[in-house]
């Protein structure tokens, strides 16, 4: 498959040489993301109608698994990206899909919330129960919607171009609503990144909106229909991709020479 050839070239020439610096220094792998975009791998799952690769979840799983063997941080970024793109493919506009297909847009998920301390596991994963009941508020005024929230465990925080964002519904009696929030929107704030959140270098952090204003047309799907999208699209992609990164990653030597999964490094 052509995408595998392209991936091998990027892993060998770009991702591999900086993987150690990414892990040790916690530096976001911007060069790797740019190379993946140019090679068509960020747009791998976008429809060919918009210039993408037209592939589905199995190909995304393959890319994440192979990348995780080389650089866990880059694999984490791809997990979030491909899951977000699955939502955008189903509900996003043609311009955004074209930008992703061309490798110019990195997407991420801004779904998890917590009233207090983070409930995510020490390996950087987020408890799925956090995704179903957002505390964030959406308020509409004319054709503009104000989103106020604190999103936790956002991968590529401050580095992505677009976030798939959840909130309480505008008017629906229950459920949640999803939005496409551009990273350049005013009043999005990313604080100092906690060193223990996610694989080092994945820029996993909290994102604040106080509030962020987006066009009403930025809604993904129907008002209140986000829960169904989470169950049918987000969770299947997220869980498959996470499993690919964790189970196919080779063990590494921990303290005392004891072998442990590479994902456990995120908690050290």
């Amino acid at each position: 498959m052509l995408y595998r050839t392209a991936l091998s070239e990027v892993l060998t020439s770009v991702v591999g040489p900086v993987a150690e610096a990414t892990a040790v220094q916690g530096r976001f792998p911007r060069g790797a993301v740019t190379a993946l975009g140019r090679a068509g791998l960020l747009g791998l799952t976008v429809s060919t109608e918009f210039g993408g690769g037209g592939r589905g979840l199995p190909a995304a799983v393959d890319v994440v698994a192979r990348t995780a063997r080389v650089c866990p941080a880059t694999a984490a970024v791809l997990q979030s990206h491909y899951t977000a793109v699955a939502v955008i493919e189903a509900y996003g506009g043609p311009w955004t899909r074209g930008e992703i297909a061309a490798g110019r847009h990195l997407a991420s998920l801004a779904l998890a919330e917590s009233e207090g301390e983070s409930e995510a596991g020490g390996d950087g994963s987020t408890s799925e129960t956090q995704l179903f009941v957002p505390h964030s508020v959406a308020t509409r005024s004319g054709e503009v919607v104000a989103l106020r929230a604190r999103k936790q465990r956002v991968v590529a925080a401050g580095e992505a171009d677009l976030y798939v964002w959840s909130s309480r519904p505008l008017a629906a009696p229950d459920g949640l609503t999803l939005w496409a929030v551009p990273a350049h929107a005013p009043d999005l704030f990313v604080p100092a990144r906690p060193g223990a959140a996610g694989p080092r270098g994945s820029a996993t952090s909290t994102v604040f909106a106080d509030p962020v204003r987006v066009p009403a047309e930025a809604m993904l799907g129907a008002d209140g229909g986000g829960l169904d999208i989470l169950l049918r699209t987000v969770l299947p992609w997220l869980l498959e991709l996470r499993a690919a990164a964790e189970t196919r990653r080779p063990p590494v030597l921990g303290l005392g020479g004891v072998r442990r999964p590479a994902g456990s490094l995120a908690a050290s």
Side-chain angles (χ1 to χ4, degrees), residues 79-89 107-109 162-164:
Q79 288 176 58
S80 191
H81 171 77
Y82 284 138
T83 304
V85 170
V87 177
I88 295 166
E89 262 294 278
S108 189
L109 300 172
L162 179 74
Y163 302 107
V164 172

Side-chain angles (χ1 to χ4, degrees), residues 42-43 46 81 85 88 96-105 107 162:
L42 291 185
V46 177
H81 171 77
V85 170
I88 295 166
T96 302
R97 294 166 71 186
E99 287 296 291
I100 295 170
R104 292 189 291 264
H105 259 46
L162 179 74

Side-chain angles (χ1 to χ4, degrees), residues 23 49 145 165 197 221:
E49 176 186 357
V145 175
W165 190 283

Side-chain angles (χ1 to χ4, degrees), residues 38-244:
R38 289 175 177 168
L41 292 161
L42 291 185
L44 180 68
T45 58
V46 177
S47 169
T48 55
E49 176 186 357
F50 296 95
R55 300 283 181 171
L57 179 54
V61 166
D62 185 34
V63 171
V64 168
R66 295 176 66 194
T67 303
R69 300 180 190 132
V70 179
C71 180
T74 304
V77 171
L78 287 173
Q79 288 176 58
S80 191
H81 171 77
Y82 284 138
T83 304
V85 170
V87 177
I88 295 166
E89 262 294 278
Y91 303 99
W95 182 85
T96 302
R97 294 166 71 186
E99 287 296 291
I100 295 170
R104 292 189 291 264
H105 259 46
L106 176 67
S108 189
L109 300 172
L111 304 175
E113 299 177 16
S114 176
E115 293 283 21
E117 293 298 318
S118 173
E119 299 169 8
D123 63 352
S125 63
T126 302
S127 171
E128 282 70 41
T129 59
Q130 291 187 54
L131 309 182
F132 300 138
V133 187
H135 302 287
S136 58
V137 177
T139 307
R140 182 166 181 167
S141 177
E143 294 304 310
V144 176
V145 175
L147 302 170
R148 190 182 302 273
R150 182 179 71 175
K151 297 295 184 178
Q152 300 211 8
R153 300 277 168 157
V154 178
V155 178
E159 300 286 350
D161 300 286
L162 179 74
Y163 302 107
V164 172
W165 190 283
S166 62
S167 74
R168 294 175 182 172
L170 286 172
D174 52 26
L176 58 90
T177 301
L178 297 179
W179 308 88
V181 177
H184 60 75
D187 298 317
L188 277 183
F189 172 65
V190 180
R193 296 168 182 155
R200 284 181 59 80
S202 63
T204 303
S205 185
T206 301
V207 176
F208 292 90
D210 192 30
V212 61
R213 292 174 174 83
V214 297
E217 64 184 16
M219 184 184 295
L220 298 169
D223 186 36
L227 181 58
D228 187 62
I229 298 172
L230 289 184
L231 292 173
R232 294 177 180 271
T233 303
V234 173
L235 285 185
W237 279 71
L238 189 61
L239 295 177
E240 287 262 8
L241 294 171
R242 183 183 299 165

